[in-house]
Amino acid sequence: MSHQIIQDRREFLKASIMAFGGAIMLPSCLRNYTPFLFFTADEALLLTAICEQIIPADENGPGATQAGVIYYIDKQLYEVFTWEQDKYRLGLTAINESSLELFSANFDMLPTDKQLLFLKKMEGNELPDSYWKDNSASGFFRTIIQHTMQGFYGPPRHGGNKNYISYKMINLDYPYVVGRNLYE
Amino acid sequence: MSNKHVKAIIIGAGAGGGCIAKELAGAGFSVVLLERGGWPVYDEYINDELISQRTQVLRPAFGPDPEKNPRVFIHPDGTRQVTNSLSGAIHHHIAACVGSGTVSYGAMAWRFMPEDFKMRSTYGEVPGAALEDWPISYNELEPFYQQAEWELGVAGDDSENPYAPPRKKPYPMPAFEQNVDGELLSAAARRLGLHPFPIPMLRNSVPYLNRPACIRNRTCVGYQCPVDAKNGTQNTVIPVAMSTGNCEVRTHCQVAEILSSENGKVKGVRYFDENNREQTQTADLVVVAGSASETARLLLNSKTRLFPNGLGNNYDLVGRFFQGHAYTGAFGLFDYEVKTYTGPGATFGLCDFNHHVEGMIGGGLLANEFNRMPYLFSQTRPPGAARWGKEHKAFQAKNFKKMAELHGPIQEMPMYENRVTVDDTVRDFWGIPVAAITGQRHPLDHENCKYLSARAEEILKEAGAIQTWQSVGGRGSVGGFQHQCGTTRMGNDPKTSVTDKYGRVHDIDNLFIADGSLMVTGGGFNPVLTINALGFWVGKNIVERM
């Protein structure tokens, strides 16, 4: 994958996750404004890239980024899964540090094959130990998988599954009209 | 300000408490029915997979509030872990609302079989297990099963089930039809010499008792019914109890303690009302129906001079024999669509593996499974399949409507060491010591699960599944996630049981239990109709004796 394409993807991710906030962004006084309740903009970029590998856009339809999975995770970490906040904060830092050591680049700048290689190592607890003293790499990855699935396949009202994207993929009619089952 | 003295207090407005409330109020008793949750309101709990009683990712739809209701799990090595129902740790809560689990359940309305009441005399002693006979027989409970079927409303037809226990009256409503996977799998089961038949359901197949017929709502199990066609205690017996004018339902009331007199009788309860104010309510008699874990917790938290270790607990039996159901079964993928997602999804059952299998003790039913919504489906994959990435997504896209499954609850072996205690060091929102749960399953549970899963897989193969796999349950720590029971087992001997055959706590004339806690053994069936029947049974005997 060429450098240009990687840059394009980074811009695309940035544009995607900023789109929501952009509409209400005010000049100067909110220069550092992000649409997130918990994540920093950099954390959101990184996690968005991970989620997109967990549920990638492909011939079956849009992936985690377009479904807004990052908004689901952000919202729930802030409102419900508060006990997971440290795991994410430390874990995302550890991912970047591990990525820099293994591939000399931030995770979200890696090409897809390297990202997948990295995540397989993470799943198998094979990332450099020194960055994972307080957090299990495989455990954190399992948590991200769970939350990504919830955000992608759960109801849109919690921040993800934008426009019922995943329901369309599995041909489950929605919005659901009570008492009326539509199956194509 | 004190509350007016009443004849009876009932604690818990679930499957047992609702039935006994109707029984006592109908006989003219003044009743206060205390419920820790509120009335379920459909608009507050829309069809949301992540806030359903089945998939409690963000919170349970019908309570209890996870933050206010911690519990303790005691690991085999003795370490204590404080848990709540959201943290992913082990938990055993059931719904906290008027109707409790009967609001959002799948509504299977099984009668236990005669053998389920005589496990010890049917199978003898099982090493490591505390199998006992119930002090009542199927025949004694039969009229109360019938009462539950007619007063709550059950649709069914057991004429094709050769193992159906004897009944004196047919079901009040005709059985439900089969769905696509139900037709397919029951035909396969028949070819294998088995006996599929429609699952009896606490759901209206035709309009019944002034409520409409079922609309086959996709999100049925785990949710309240949008047209009120699912029959729980909240829309049947409890409204009947209230209509007598004798039953006051007090919601959002957390009972802390049962109060006793010096003479050993109970005289009322101390509870926290909807504004978290401490209240006292006195009564001539008290009925506890708070679920196997909460009922035990309340008795253990009610200590007196005569019962220094908790009411009814002088032989250290309250909270023991805590059981639930391990679920087991198999999945099959087809190369065409077999799931329509009409609700609720489970349509046929088999009782061929309840008590009729050489060498198996107890056993369990098998049924095609309730609808698995998209997130839950994403957690379901064959062994070795990708858990994430492109391949995982492709499986979801391709197979969401092509996967059928057969599952069932296995009758767990009751264990002396599987128990509910209280932990004085961990308090709930109201300062009441919480339930602490400990124990390990008997090895037979897993063996029985293996057998049942293998049979389920055979049926799926016979039906033409192109890929099948088993999910085998029954290992690890104490059951009771689902269908909890057994913690105040009934019996004739005060040294080996907590209550007598009428649900009266030994040595306390006016304290009764009326929920799954009474069950000596858990059966290989969903227990709700048995709990309903026990509520009516205990109620009738109170009316005749008090």
Side-chain angles (χ1 to χ4, degrees):
Chain A
M1 192 179 276
S2 76
H3 185 70
Q4 186 52 50
I5 292 171
I6 294 169
Q7 275 304 337
D8 287 351
R9 196 178 64 214
R10 191 175 165 87
E11 289 309 313
F12 169 72
L13 290 179
K14 251 187 182 161
S16 311
I17 65 177
M18 292 305 178
F20 176 76
I24 52 166
M25 198 187 293
L26 299 169
S28 65
C29 61
L30 286 175
R31 262 171 63 195
N32 293 322
Y33 175 82
T34 75
F36 300 107
L37 298 161
F38 173 73
F39 292 124
T40 66
D42 282 345
E43 286 172 336
L45 270 177
L46 168 57
L47 186 58
T48 298
I50 296 169
C51 295
E52 182 66 16
Q53 291 300 352
I54 291 170
I55 304 179
D58 60 14
E59 65 275 13
N60 280 313
T65 308
Q66 206 174 322
V69 165
I70 186 71
Y71 295 110
Y72 169 83
I73 300 178
D74 181 64
K75 183 167 184 272
Q76 305 316 325
L77 280 177
Y78 185 76
E79 291 178 357
V80 182
F81 305 145
T82 48
W83 63 89
E84 305 273 35
Q85 287 183 357
D86 286 351
K87 192 195 272 189
Y88 269 87
R89 193 122 277 159
L90 297 170
L92 291 174
T93 304
I95 286 173
N96 257 342
E97 285 168 337
S98 306
S99 177
L100 281 167
E101 179 170 322
L102 291 176
F103 299 113
S104 308
N106 283 340
F107 178 89
D108 59 285
M109 295 296 286
L110 298 175
T112 290
D113 58 338
K114 292 251 170 51
Q115 287 191 345
L116 287 173
L117 182 64
F118 183 95
L119 293 178
K120 281 183 181 132
K121 281 176 183 288
M122 188 172 171
E123 190 176 28
N125 249 342
E126 293 158 11
L127 296 178
D129 284 342
S130 51
Y131 306 117
W132 296 93
K133 284 179 183 142
D134 306 318
N135 212 349
S136 148
S138 63
F140 181 40
F141 189 52
R142 277 199 303 275
T143 301
I144 300 175
I145 292 174
Q146 292 276 315
H147 291 170
T148 304
M149 298 293 166
Q150 291 161 11
F152 192 77
Y153 293 116
R157 61 198 287 257
H158 302 301
N161 196 5
K162 196 174 172 191
N163 298 328
Y164 302 96
I165 274 175
S166 70
Y167 284 21
K168 286 197 182 89
M169 178 182 85
I170 59 177
N171 197 21
L172 189 65
D173 52 287
Y174 229 91
Y176 186 54
V177 180
V178 168
R180 184 161 156 239
N181 295 304
L182 299 170
Y183 302 103
E184 291 164 2
Chain B
M1 192 182 77
S2 64
N3 291 296
K4 190 177 166 218
H5 181 87
V6 292
K7 181 94 175 166
I9 296 166
I10 301 167
I11 302 158
C19 290
I20 197 167
K22 183 251 159 191
E23 207 59 23
L24 299 188
F29 286 34
S30 53
V31 173
V32 167
L33 178 56
L34 295 169
E35 166 56 44
R36 63 173 168 162
W39 283 94
V41 178
Y42 181 77
D43 286 355
E44 289 174 14
Y45 305 109
I46 63 169
N47 295 343
D48 186 326
E49 193 193 354
L50 300 182
I51 308 180
S52 80
Q53 217 58 20
R54 196 182 194 206
T55 318
Q56 303 183 6
V57 170
L58 298 179
R59 65 175 181 272
F62 302 103
D65 183 334
E67 291 188 3
K68 290 182 179 171
N69 294 276
R71 277 192 173 170
V72 172
F73 184 71
I74 308 172
H75 290 273
D77 66 2
T79 54
R80 286 173 177 251
Q81 179 186 4
V82 179
T83 71
N84 82 39
S85 58
L86 289 190
S87 61
I90 191 163
H91 220 259
H92 301 75
H93 266 308
I94 59 167
C97 61
V98 179
S100 190
T102 71
V103 173
S104 55
Y105 59 3
M108 290 192 192
W110 300 104
R111 292 180 175 207
F112 281 13
M113 290 162 65
E115 295 90 335
D116 291 313
F117 298 86
K118 296 179 177 305
M119 289 296 285
R120 178 63 175 265
S121 43
T122 304
Y123 296 102
E125 187 174 342
V126 174
L131 277 190
E132 286 295 340
D133 289 354
W134 294 40
I136 52 174
S137 66
Y138 172 80
N139 286 339
E140 278 174 281
L141 207 57
E142 198 280 337
F144 302 91
Y145 273 127
Q146 179 184 303
Q147 186 180 0
E149 287 169 350
W150 283 78
E151 294 192 8
L152 281 86
V154 176
D157 177 359
D158 58 7
S159 58
E160 287 178 43
N161 176 17
Y163 311 107
R167 60 168 56 250
K168 296 209 171 84
K169 204 173 168 185
Y171 289 109
M173 288 179 276
F176 281 93
E177 73 288 345
Q178 292 300 310
N179 54 12
V180 173
D181 61 299
E183 288 285 1
L184 180 69
L185 298 179
S186 53
R190 249 177 237 117
R191 289 197 296 277
L192 293 171
L194 302 170
H195 303 86
F197 65 100
I199 298 169
M201 285 284 187
L202 281 144
R203 196 153 51 82
N204 291 348
S205 59
V206 292
Y208 188 70
L209 297 179
N210 299 319
R211 283 178 296 104
C214 170
I215 56 167
R216 316 304 188 265
N217 191 30
R218 181 166 77 202
T219 42
C220 179
V221 63
Y223 307 86
Q224 186 173 10
C225 179
V227 300
D228 220 14
K230 186 156 65 175
N231 306 327
T233 55
Q234 85 289 350
N235 57 7
T236 58
V237 283
I238 291 173
V240 172
M242 294 167 77
S243 72
T244 63
N246 298 325
C247 177
E248 180 196 346
V249 181
R250 265 180 227 162
T251 57
H252 301 289
C253 292
Q254 177 71 41
V255 179
E257 186 188 2
I258 300 167
L259 304 169
S260 294
S261 309
E262 274 304 300
N263 65 8
K265 287 192 174 191
V266 297
K267 62 180 183 188
V269 298
R270 181 170 65 84
Y271 69 96
F272 293 90
D273 69 12
E274 59 185 337
N275 299 313
N276 302 314
R277 283 181 311 216
E278 200 170 62
Q279 298 266 5
T280 299
Q281 173 68 53
T282 60
D284 292 348
L285 67 99
V286 174
V287 179
V288 191
S291 79
S293 48
E294 291 294 312
T295 289
R297 175 191 177 203
L298 180 58
L299 295 188
L300 294 171
N301 275 332
S302 305
K303 298 181 169 78
T304 68
R305 188 176 55 81
L306 293 171
F307 293 95
N309 301 312
L311 292 174
N313 196 33
N314 282 358
Y315 292 98
D316 188 27
L317 289 171
V318 171
R320 290 194 182 273
F321 315 112
F322 187 51
Q323 299 152 70
H325 278 139
Y327 265 72
T328 201
F331 298 88
L333 289 181
F334 292 79
D335 53 11
Y336 57 97
E337 291 189 357
V338 294
K339 284 291 288 183
T340 57
Y341 283 89
T342 43
T347 55
F348 83 95
L350 298 167
C351 291
D352 296 77
F353 309 119
N354 273 302
H355 305 298
H356 303 285
V357 181
E358 185 73 30
M360 185 156 70
I361 296 168
L365 75 95
L366 278 178
N368 61 332
E369 181 60 24
F370 292 106
N371 288 345
R372 204 171 271 271
M373 292 299 286
Y375 168 62
L376 199 54
F377 190 93
S378 78
Q379 304 301 293
T380 310
R381 290 294 183 272
R387 308 304 291 193
W388 57 280
K390 189 175 166 64
E391 192 187 327
H392 180 274
K393 184 185 176 197
F395 186 100
Q396 188 100 0
K398 184 180 173 203
N399 294 317
F400 184 66
K401 293 182 177 174
K402 295 179 183 170
M403 190 180 81
E405 47 182 309
L406 280 165
H407 276 92
I410 207 81
Q411 169 140 211
E412 289 186 4
M413 294 297 112
M415 306 277 285
Y416 183 75
E417 294 298 339
N418 290 5
R419 65 189 300 198
V420 177
T421 54
V422 290
D423 189 327
D424 283 331
T425 66
V426 181
R427 305 290 175 112
D428 66 12
F429 174 80
W430 301 269
I432 309 164
V434 305
I437 289 161
T438 187
Q440 293 286 301
R441 281 197 173 96
H442 192 283
L444 261 187
D445 295 350
H446 183 55
E447 291 305 310
N448 289 345
C449 283
K450 281 199 280 197
Y451 178 88
L452 212 61
S453 289
R455 301 292 81 73
E457 189 175 23
E458 283 169 6
I459 296 166
L460 288 155
K461 283 195 160 98
E462 172 66 26
I466 52 171
Q467 184 187 357
T468 59
W469 68 97
Q470 298 177 17
S471 66
V472 185
R475 267 176 296 198
S477 64
V478 58
F481 302 103
Q482 223 167 342
H483 306 165
Q484 52 184 262
C485 71
T487 51
T488 65
R489 66 167 33 174
M490 55 196 330
N492 296 319
D493 181 353
K495 294 191 177 65
T496 59
S497 58
V498 177
T499 80
D500 67 14
K501 67 187 286 190
Y502 306 114
R504 172 155 44 188
V505 175
H506 292 304
D507 303 323
I508 305 177
D509 287 349
N510 61 345
L511 177 61
F512 298 83
I513 312 291
D515 62 16
S517 312
L518 294 173
M519 293 161 63
V520 178
T521 48
F525 297 97
N526 308 52
V528 69
L529 200 73
T530 302
I531 298 172
N532 296 146
L534 285 169
F536 287 131
W537 159 263
V538 174
K540 177 165 186 281
N541 282 292
I542 289 175
V543 170
E544 285 176 0
R545 285 168 175 75
M546 305 287 290

